[in-house]
């Protein structure tokens, strides 16, 4: 069974640009969550999607958005990039939403210059 | 969400048993306890989950006392490859994960 796939693995963007990250969950999993990990703040929850609906959202500005498609694949978008958005962005999938066993992808390392 | 407290770091030697204790004094009745392991530049990996007493799988054991205000992750005979950050999370199935700073375990030869 294929794991969670995140693309791209690495990305370099310039301040002010926007970026879209992609996550393909494990087949059959309908819940996808996104996290931001930085050395200073650790792992922080961004949002969760289940059956194409945003179920929960963390404490991030509106520049961070996401969506989920009917095949459960998810994308997150960050607009007007800031230097502080440089981080490892992780996607996790699980069969159902909430505090169940989640399977994380390798992440996308975003560097904003 | 129940707040958790873990040691920031621990050192151990290869072949030893490592016990990492997590405190969660305000755990709710419906909350489960979950542990994850994370290597640098990788996503966290599920280790074990439990509600009460003891849970064991091929990787670790989880001990939860009757009052459930703490839990202990036990890693038998650690190796260098067990060097990682270990996160303790507490929550209900309807909630999302809240990761604390975790415990950085260093296994020495």
């Amino acid at each position: 069974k294929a794991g969670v796939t995140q693309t791209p693995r690495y990305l370099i963007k310039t301040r002010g640009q926007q970026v879209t990250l992609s996550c393909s969950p494990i087949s059959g999993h309908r819940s996808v969550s996104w996290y931001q990990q930085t050395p200073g703040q650790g792992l922080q929850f961004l949002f969760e999607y289940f059956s194409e609906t945003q179920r929960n959202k963390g404490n991030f500005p509106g520049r961070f958005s996401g969506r989920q498609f009917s095949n459960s694949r998810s994308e997150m978008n960050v607009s007007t990039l800031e230097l502080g958005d440089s981080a490892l962005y992780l996607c996790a999938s699980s069969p159902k939403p909430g505090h169940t066993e989640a399977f994380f992808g390798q992440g996308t390392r975003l560097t904003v210059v | 969400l129940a707040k958790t407290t873990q040691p920031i770091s621990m050192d151990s030697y290869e072949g030893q048993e490592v016990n990492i204790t997590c405190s969660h004094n305000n755990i709710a009745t419906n909350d489960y306890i979950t542990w994850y392991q994370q290597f640098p530049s990788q996503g966290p990996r599920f280790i074990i989950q439990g509600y009460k007493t003891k849970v064991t799988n091929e990787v670790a054991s989880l001990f939860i006392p009757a009052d459930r205000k703490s839990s202990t992750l036990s890693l038998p005979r650690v190796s260098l490859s067990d060097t990682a950050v270990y996160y303790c999370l507490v929550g209900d199935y309807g909630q999302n994960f809240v990761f604390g700073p975790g415990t950085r375990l260093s296994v020495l030869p």
Side-chain angles (χ1 to χ4, degrees):
Chain A
K1 203 177 200 180
V4 178
T5 304
Q6 290 189 246
T7 56
R9 288 293 311 280
Y10 302 92
L11 206 49
I12 300 176
K13 288 286 189 178
T14 305
R15 270 184 303 176
Q17 287 187 312
Q18 68 93 26
V19 67
T20 299
L21 311 181
S22 180
C23 172
S24 293
I26 290 172
S27 178
H29 286 192
R30 294 165 59 197
S31 174
V32 173
S33 299
W34 289 89
Y35 295 81
Q36 180 196 66
Q37 186 170 32
T38 60
Q41 299 297 320
L43 267 160
Q44 292 186 285
F45 170 74
L46 279 157
F47 27 66
E48 180 190 22
Y49 286 87
F50 179 72
S51 294
E52 302 179 65
T53 301
Q54 188 179 85
R55 184 174 165 273
N56 277 315
K57 191 179 192 316
N59 189 26
F60 278 81
R63 300 185 296 107
F64 292 81
S65 62
R67 59 177 175 168
Q68 186 180 33
F69 302 94
S70 58
N71 61 358
S72 295
R73 190 178 71 84
S74 178
E75 288 181 347
M76 69 162 280
N77 185 279
V78 187
S79 62
T80 321
L81 284 166
E82 301 176 359
L83 295 180
D85 296 332
S86 295
L88 180 67
Y89 289 87
L90 291 159
C91 163
S93 82
S94 55
K96 53 185 179 180
H99 200 65
T100 60
E101 178 180 352
F103 297 81
F104 284 80
Q106 296 273 67
T108 293
R109 172 75 63 186
L110 172 66
T111 302
V112 182
V113 298
Chain B
L1 293 174
K3 180 178 166 56
T4 61
T5 304
Q6 311 172 227
I8 293 297
S9 64
M10 292 180 68
D11 290 338
S12 181
Y13 290 95
E14 279 192 291
Q16 289 188 329
E17 178 185 73
V18 170
N19 295 309
I20 306 174
T21 297
C22 178
S23 297
H24 26 80
N25 289 319
N26 60 339
I27 188 170
T29 303
N30 294 331
D31 286 347
Y32 282 75
I33 301 157
T34 312
W35 286 80
Y36 278 80
Q37 174 194 55
Q38 187 179 27
F39 299 110
S41 298
Q42 292 188 26
R45 183 176 73 101
F46 174 88
I47 300 175
I48 198 165
Q49 185 178 71
Y51 183 79
K52 62 179 180 180
T53 62
K54 176 184 174 183
V55 180
T56 298
N57 61 23
E58 65 279 5
V59 177
S61 295
L62 179 59
F63 298 92
I64 306 169
D67 66 6
R68 304 202 324 125
K69 292 184 184 300
S70 67
S71 58
T72 299
L73 174 73
S74 180
L75 304 172
R77 296 181 298 282
V78 294
S79 64
L80 296 177
S81 62
D82 293 316
T83 294
V85 178
Y86 292 82
Y87 297 96
C88 164
L89 299 96
V90 173
D92 187 359
Y93 279 125
Q95 300 168 332
N96 289 100
F97 293 109
V98 176
F99 285 85
T103 297
R104 187 173 299 275
L105 172 66
S106 297
V107 179
L108 308 172

